[in-house]
Amino acid sequence: MAARPNALHPERSPEEWLGNEIRQWRMLRGYGQDQLGALVHLSGDLIGKMERGERTCLPEHAEALDVALDTGGALTRSLVLVQMRLDKRRDGDSFAAEVAQTPQLPPPVSTLEPMERRAFVAAGGLVAEALTPITASAVLPLLEAGTPVRPGDVAHVQSAAVALRGSDNLYGGGGLVRATAIAQLHWARSLTSAPCAEALRAQLLTAASRLASATGAVLLDAGEHDDSRRCLHWATELAEEVGDWSARAVSYNLRSRLASWCERHDDGVTLAEMGLVRSDRLSAAERAMLHNAAARAHAKMGNRQAALTAIGMSDEEYTRLRTDQEVSWMAYYDSAQHHGDTGHAAYDLALAGYQVDDAITRLRAAVDGHAQSFARSRTFSRTKLAGLLLTIGNPETALPEAEQAVAEVAQLRSQRAVQDLHDLAVLASRYGRNAGLQGLRAQIAATVDG
């Protein structure tokens, strides 16, 4: 069995952040360090040192890696960001202080009438005006007026969306992931307003929709719900303009989950159902994904039968899933993801005493099945598994899962994971005399408040 790669710490320095980007692209393409090194005429040891931030990635290295990994130039452009941050540090600003910058977005697109909303998006109002100088130019300078969109620009947006999802799944939506997401979306926004050949525009809008959805997911995880909602609205509008039903489904899935997280559960059901419009044009994984969103919203409202029906429909769609018929964007939807998503809906039913064994089985399958690249999803399921075990009076089994969940949350930048720990602490407080759970509550407090 191959050894697990050592954990990286991209939040510590710009060099380590770039090293993490290199590793993520390498793993996405399925190369070992030695294999990648052979492609770019470097040693595997040097690749490893660059990934850990121990050796500088020179411009010629970044260019060669971009070609070998087919990134669309993402690493070369990221190197510009790293140099900017290094210059800023030499001027006396800390890396942590820079990452903590918080650009604000304009008022919600959802507050505008449809015609006004289209004009707002066309005018570039989504993110362009209020970004700080660092985030506004973090990945690329804005496209100069009149400069046409090129195929390489579209490839960059496509690769940025894929890389952003990977970082979000691995590290959570806060910190540097959040800052990078906003910068990349700002660049994509400038592209959608630029001259573009008709044959290329559909690809551009689809790529921008994917990136907007990925950014919306990042902001949801970072706890910035209004900004997330705007990004996801824009993702839907782009997908609908180009007639991309798959990208539309992804945006509605995330909008449903955001609504449920914000306790607008009825809206969560409605948005999931809107995503399922013309479900004949969606893949099995996309339909299963949206049924899960509906199930979670129904479960939160206590609609037991509706939630169970939606879970059953998701299960049925999952049996139809054929990986060779799915778009690459849905490759994440494997057995672990399916059991985790349905398990989270079943969890809310189980708290009320229904389908407890089923919820435990699903959550256990998710915890055991998620790869390290989906660390956050695994943590979500593990935390809920521990909470459910506490609810049914099984503290001895719950404690090791809970302790592992706390350790995993400490490696993430995720407000959702932090909130789950708060909920777990409440459940643990019911066992006031249990020394192990008292210690757990102390660990949770130290993790979420540290």
Side-chain angles (χ1 to χ4, degrees):
M1 180 180 295
R4 287 187 176 181
N6 295 327
L8 301 183
H9 300 280
E11 74 284 353
R12 294 196 303 208
S13 72
E15 300 93 334
E16 289 175 277
W17 174 75
L18 178 59
N20 174 69
E21 292 299 299
I22 295 171
R23 175 185 281 186
Q24 291 303 309
W25 278 105
R26 174 176 63 79
M27 295 179 70
L28 180 67
R29 300 306 187 212
Y31 293 128
Q33 291 176 347
D34 290 338
Q35 291 174 303
L36 178 58
L39 291 175
V40 295
H41 307 293
L42 297 172
S43 69
D45 180 63
L46 182 57
I47 295 293
K49 288 180 178 178
M50 285 195 293
E51 290 182 354
R52 296 189 296 274
E54 297 171 2
R55 288 288 298 273
T56 301
C57 179
L58 300 175
E60 56 267 30
H61 295 158
E63 291 174 6
L65 289 167
D66 277 330
V67 173
L69 296 171
D70 191 22
T71 71
L75 296 176
T76 299
R77 290 184 282 265
S78 296
L79 187 60
V80 174
L81 170 60
V82 168
Q83 188 58 55
M84 290 169 57
R85 286 174 170 158
L86 289 172
D87 291 343
K88 193 172 179 65
R89 290 170 72 195
R90 283 193 285 270
D91 290 338
D93 291 336
S94 71
F95 182 62
E98 181 196 335
V99 170
Q101 291 185 56
T102 308
Q104 298 298 313
L105 298 176
V109 176
S110 57
T111 64
L112 304 176
E113 294 301 317
M115 288 298 292
E116 295 174 316
R117 183 165 64 246
R118 285 195 291 272
F120 180 79
V121 173
L126 181 67
V127 294
E129 294 181 0
L131 291 171
T132 63
I134 280 293
T135 55
S137 58
V139 179
L140 282 173
L142 286 179
L143 203 67
E144 294 182 6
T147 301
V149 176
R150 297 174 297 182
D153 296 322
V154 177
H156 171 231
V157 177
Q158 293 169 335
S159 63
V162 172
L164 180 59
R165 287 184 79 195
S167 295
D168 185 32
N169 287 326
L170 186 57
Y171 298 111
L176 192 55
V177 174
R178 172 194 169 280
T180 303
I182 292 173
Q184 290 175 327
L185 190 64
H186 187 44
W187 165 247
R189 178 68 209 90
S190 74
L191 289 176
T192 61
S193 301
C196 183
E198 192 62 32
L200 192 59
R201 184 161 179 79
Q203 297 177 45
L204 171 63
L205 295 190
T206 291
S209 177
R210 298 289 192 190
L211 182 58
S213 285
T215 303
V218 164
L219 294 172
L220 164 59
D221 199 53
E224 298 178 36
H225 300 147
D226 289 340
D227 294 348
S228 174
R229 190 173 297 112
R230 286 167 230 156
C231 288
L232 296 174
H233 269 282
W234 192 48
T236 300
E237 289 173 345
L238 290 169
E240 290 182 340
E241 181 175 342
V242 76
D244 190 312
W245 291 88
S246 177
R248 180 183 182 276
V250 169
S251 68
Y252 268 113
N253 169 61
L254 290 166
R255 289 172 67 180
S256 173
R257 291 167 189 266
L258 171 61
S260 293
W261 182 259
C262 295
E263 299 186 352
R264 294 187 293 105
H265 307 307
D266 195 56
D267 288 348
V269 172
T270 299
L271 289 164
E273 291 176 346
M274 290 176 69
L276 283 163
V277 169
R278 290 307 306 267
S279 61
D280 59 304
R281 298 190 177 187
L282 303 179
S283 71
E286 289 162 347
R287 291 191 294 269
M289 169 187 74
L290 286 159
H291 285 307
N292 291 336
R296 293 169 84 166
H298 279 303
K300 288 288 187 183
M301 288 190 290
N303 296 340
R304 177 192 174 198
Q305 191 53 55
L308 290 175
T309 298
I311 291 172
M313 294 175 75
S314 179
D315 285 340
E316 184 177 348
E317 292 293 350
Y318 183 71
T319 65
R320 300 188 177 117
L321 192 152
R322 300 292 180 269
T323 55
D324 60 344
Q325 298 174 6
E326 295 292 336
V327 296
S328 59
W329 193 259
M330 293 303 298
Y332 82 99
Y333 198 89
D334 57 8
S335 176
Q337 188 68 39
H338 176 72
H339 283 95
D341 282 352
T342 53
H344 286 224
Y347 169 84
D348 287 304
L349 297 177
L351 291 181
Y354 303 112
Q355 307 289 119
V356 175
D357 290 343
D358 181 56
I360 290 175
T361 298
R362 291 177 187 270
L363 291 171
R364 170 54 64 192
V367 170
D368 293 343
H370 274 305
Q372 177 58 30
S373 55
F374 290 88
R376 185 185 56 187
S377 294
R378 183 181 60 200
T379 300
F380 287 159
S381 292
R382 193 189 301 277
T383 306
K384 281 185 164 48
L385 176 61
L388 192 51
L389 291 170
L390 288 175
T391 300
I392 65 174
N394 197 340
E396 292 77 16
T397 306
L399 183 58
E401 296 290 352
E403 290 176 334
Q404 182 62 31
V406 173
E408 291 173 354
V409 172
Q411 302 301 314
L412 300 173
R413 289 281 186 175
S414 169
Q415 286 302 310
R416 287 189 295 166
V418 167
Q419 183 57 55
D420 281 352
L421 281 190
H422 280 300
D423 295 343
L424 185 61
V426 171
L427 293 172
S429 68
R430 300 175 183 177
Y431 297 84
R433 297 182 180 180
N434 185 302
L437 292 177
Q438 287 179 351
L440 173 69
R441 291 167 63 194
Q443 291 177 41
I444 291 174
T447 298
V448 301
D449 298 330

